[in-house]
Amino acid sequence: MNAAKVLDDLKRRFPNEPEYHQAVEEVLSTIEEEYNKHPEFDKVNLIERLCIPDRVYQFRVTWMDDKGNIQTNMGYRVQHNNAIGPYKGGIRFHASVNLSILKFLAFEQTFKNSLTTLPMGGGKGGSDFSPRGKSNMEVMRFVQSFMLELWRHIGPETDVPAGDIGVGGREVGFMFGMYKKLAHEFTGTFTGKGREFGGSLIRPEATGYGNIYFLMEMLKTKGTDLKGKSCLISGSGNVAQYTAEKVLELGGKVLTMSDSDGYIFDPDGIDREKLDYIMELKNLYRGRIREYADKYGCKYVEGARPWGEKADIALPSATQNELNGDDAKKLVANGVIAVSEGANMPSTPEAIKVFQDAKILYAPGKAANAGGVSVSGLEMTQNSIKLSWSAEEVDEKLKSIMKNIHEACVQYGTEADGYVNYVKGANVAGFMKVAKAMMAQGIV
C-alpha cells in the first residue's frame, strides 16, 4: 500500500470532505508498515474497501415548529463496515453536521468498535438540526419525521444507533418510540435508552468513566495515578460531566469546563457540589457555562478554549479539532504529562505531533473514549438475553474492556525507545481485526 496514493485517490473521488480525509490519513500513516507485511491484503484492494463506506443514506427531514412554520433539515446515516458485527454508532444533531463529519466519525467508529472486542461494526448518523433553543414538542416532531426515513435502514441485527452530540436520553426515547411504532416490534435497536425500556446502568457515564479508566492505565506505566493531579476538561455535556465526576472520585482536581461560548477556570477546583450545579444547569435548564462563573465568582473567558491554563492533565471532551498545534505547545510548555481524548478526534494532526515529539502520554479518542460504545455493546447483550446487570457488574466489565484496549495499544504501539505510540497501537490493533474478518468473508 502506498498511503499517499490511496489518500489522493479518495480526495479526488470525494472532494470537499476534509474531516473524512483527515481521519483516513491519520489511520493510513500508522498502519502502512503493518499492512505491507500482508501482501494478500493488496491483492484484494482491502484498504480502499475499508476506507469507503458500505453505503450512505441521505434524506430531507420536514417538520413543523411551534409557530406552525414548516422547517427542513438534512438527515444522514453512514453504514461504514459490518465485517465484525452490525453497524453501531451514534446519531448527532448539530448545525455543523455534514457528510464529511459523519464519514469521519463512522470510519473512526469502525476501529473503535473493533478495539472493544465486542461484535460491532462501524456507523454514524445525524442531522444539521440543533435541539438548542427548541421546545420538547419541536424536538419530538423533528425526531419522528427523521425516523420516518431512518427506521427502514436499522434493526437489532442490522444497525444499532445511539446518542451523540445533541442526542441524549430525550432524543433516544423519541427515536425508539417512533421506531417501535413503525416496525411493530420491541427490540434493542437503539442503545442509550431509558432504564425503564431496556437501557443499561452506567451507559450515561460510560464515555467519561472509560476515558479516565484508560488514563489511569497510561499513568500506571509511569508509576503514578490521578491523586493530586490538576485537570483541564473541555465541554460541559455528558462526556465532560462524567469525566469530571470520575476525576473527583479518584482524587484529581478539575479546573475548567467549557461550552461553545467560552470556558470557566476555577482555581479552587470544581468540587462535587459545583459539578452538581453544572449538571443541573446543562441537563435541566440547558443554560450556558458562563452562569457558573457568575454564581461562583471565577474567571470566564469568552470565545476561547481552556488549553492555555496550567495543569497536569488535559481531557478534551467537546468536539473534533478543538485542540490545535499552538494549543498543544502551550500544554506541553505548562507541564502537561498526559492528554486523553473524551471527544472524537479533538486534536489536530499538528497537535498530535507536538504531544508525540514531547513524548508525553497521549491517547486518541478511538481508544480512550471507547467506553461509551463498549457499554452500548453491553446494553445490546442485555437486550438480547432479556436481562439487566447491576451497575457494579457493568462498571467492572467496562474497566476490563478499557484495560484490554490499553494492552492492545501497548502491544502494537511500543516503539524502539520504549515510548508507547497509542495512535499507532490503536489503529493497528483495530485495523487487523477488521481486515482479517474481511479477508475471511471474501469480496463482498
Side-chain angles (χ1 to χ4, degrees):
M1 171 185 68
N2 182 321
K5 182 180 182 304
V6 174
L7 187 64
D8 285 344
D9 286 345
L10 288 175
K11 287 180 177 179
R12 176 183 55 81
R13 297 169 76 178
F14 308 106
N16 306 315
E17 296 184 357
E19 294 86 0
Y20 171 58
H21 301 154
Q22 179 185 337
V24 171
E25 183 173 17
E26 188 257 308
V27 170
L28 295 190
S29 65
T30 52
I31 67 168
E32 186 170 10
E33 181 183 348
E34 185 68 27
Y35 184 94
N36 288 333
K37 294 177 183 176
H38 300 271
E40 68 274 19
F41 291 171
D42 245 8
K43 288 180 181 177
V44 295
N45 195 19
L46 186 136
I47 194 62
E48 195 168 72
R49 291 163 53 205
L50 186 53
C51 289
I52 299 173
D54 291 347
R55 63 189 63 82
V56 176
Y57 297 107
Q58 183 172 331
F59 48 94
R60 186 189 74 238
V61 184
T62 306
W63 58 282
M64 183 185 291
D65 66 22
D66 287 343
K67 296 178 180 177
N69 299 318
I70 303 301
Q71 306 290 340
T72 61
N73 288 95
M74 291 303 301
Y76 309 89
R77 186 67 178 172
V78 179
Q79 295 179 338
H80 190 86
N81 187 288
N82 65 349
I84 62 174
Y87 304 105
K88 182 83 192 80
I91 288 180
R92 176 177 294 193
F93 291 163
H94 192 271
S96 67
V97 165
N98 57 41
L99 198 52
S100 175
I101 287 173
L102 294 180
K103 284 173 70 175
F104 123 61
L105 290 168
F107 179 80
E108 288 277 294
Q109 196 78 47
T110 299
F111 301 107
K112 183 191 302 185
N113 292 358
S114 174
L115 282 171
T116 69
T117 73
L118 299 173
M120 302 180 293
K124 207 76 177 183
S127 172
D128 56 359
F129 168 86
S130 175
R132 183 176 170 184
K134 307 292 194 305
S135 70
N136 282 338
M137 291 303 294
E138 286 177 321
V139 172
M140 185 177 73
R141 285 194 292 270
F142 168 80
V143 165
Q144 290 177 342
S145 183
F146 180 80
M147 286 306 300
L148 282 172
E149 178 65 34
L150 186 64
W151 79 274
R152 67 190 78 244
H153 306 303
I154 61 177
E157 305 299 333
T158 306
D159 185 348
V160 183
D164 195 79
I165 293 173
V167 177
R170 173 184 64 174
E171 288 78 14
V172 170
F174 290 155
M175 284 192 283
F176 180 80
M178 194 62 173
Y179 175 84
K180 179 168 62 74
K181 184 176 182 66
L182 293 167
H184 301 284
E185 63 179 29
F186 192 109
T187 52
T189 302
F190 285 87
T191 57
K193 300 185 295 296
R195 285 282 295 131
E196 303 81 4
F197 53 100
S200 175
L201 289 166
I202 306 296
R203 177 59 192 92
E205 300 92 336
T207 307
Y209 281 16
N211 187 20
I212 300 306
Y213 294 152
F214 193 93
L215 171 66
M216 292 293 285
E217 293 298 320
M218 288 202 301
L219 292 174
K220 276 184 198 174
T221 68
K222 301 295 184 184
T224 188
D225 59 23
L226 260 174
K227 288 176 185 170
K229 303 285 194 308
S230 56
C231 300
L232 306 176
I233 297 176
S234 65
S236 51
N238 172 275
V239 177
Q241 290 171 19
Y242 289 111
T243 296
E245 182 171 276
K246 187 58 69 171
V247 168
L248 295 179
E249 183 183 315
L250 295 174
K253 183 178 183 181
V254 178
L255 297 177
T256 68
M257 293 182 83
S258 69
D259 58 22
S260 56
D261 292 340
Y263 76 89
I264 54 164
F265 175 78
D266 189 338
D268 297 328
I270 300 171
D271 59 19
R272 181 70 254 185
E273 179 186 332
K274 293 173 178 176
L275 180 58
D276 287 342
Y277 170 77
I278 290 174
M279 288 180 165
E280 183 177 330
L281 174 71
K282 286 294 182 178
N283 303 341
L284 189 59
Y285 299 109
R286 303 186 186 272
R288 309 310 294 162
I289 201 68
R290 64 175 173 270
E291 296 173 49
Y292 177 101
D294 295 338
K295 181 176 176 66
Y296 292 104
C298 70
K299 181 167 82 171
Y300 171 71
V301 183
E302 188 172 356
R305 297 185 175 110
W307 312 126
E309 303 293 347
K310 187 174 175 58
D312 301 309
I313 293 166
L315 300 162
S317 305
T319 189
Q320 68 270 3
N321 293 328
E322 60 168 298
L323 198 164
N324 62 31
D326 290 338
D327 296 326
K329 289 173 185 173
K330 291 176 189 174
L331 289 172
V332 170
N334 281 334
V336 158
I337 61 169
V339 178
S340 195
E341 296 184 341
N344 289 303
M345 206 170 73
S347 303
T348 66
E350 295 76 19
I352 294 170
K353 186 176 187 307
V354 170
F355 296 143
Q356 292 180 334
D357 287 349
K359 301 291 184 182
I360 68 168
L361 298 169
Y362 167 69
K366 68 168 60 68
N369 73 27
V373 76
S374 296
V375 174
S376 280
L378 298 177
E379 182 176 330
M380 290 166 66
T381 301
Q382 292 170 82
N383 291 167
S384 295
I385 61 177
K386 304 293 195 289
L387 287 176
S388 294
W389 295 326
S390 69
E392 292 74 20
E393 287 178 289
V394 177
D395 199 33
E396 280 305 309
K397 292 178 193 297
L398 172 60
K399 286 179 185 174
S400 177
I401 288 169
M402 299 311 294
K403 183 176 181 180
N404 290 339
I405 293 173
H406 182 266
E407 288 173 356
C409 291
V410 171
Q411 177 187 344
Y412 287 103
T414 301
E415 297 180 340
D417 62 358
Y419 177 70
V420 180
N421 183 334
Y422 285 95
V423 176
K424 179 181 178 181
N427 287 340
V428 173
F431 162 76
M432 287 303 294
K433 181 177 179 180
V434 178
K436 289 176 180 178
M438 290 175 68
M439 291 296 295
Q441 294 168 26
I443 312 301
V444 292

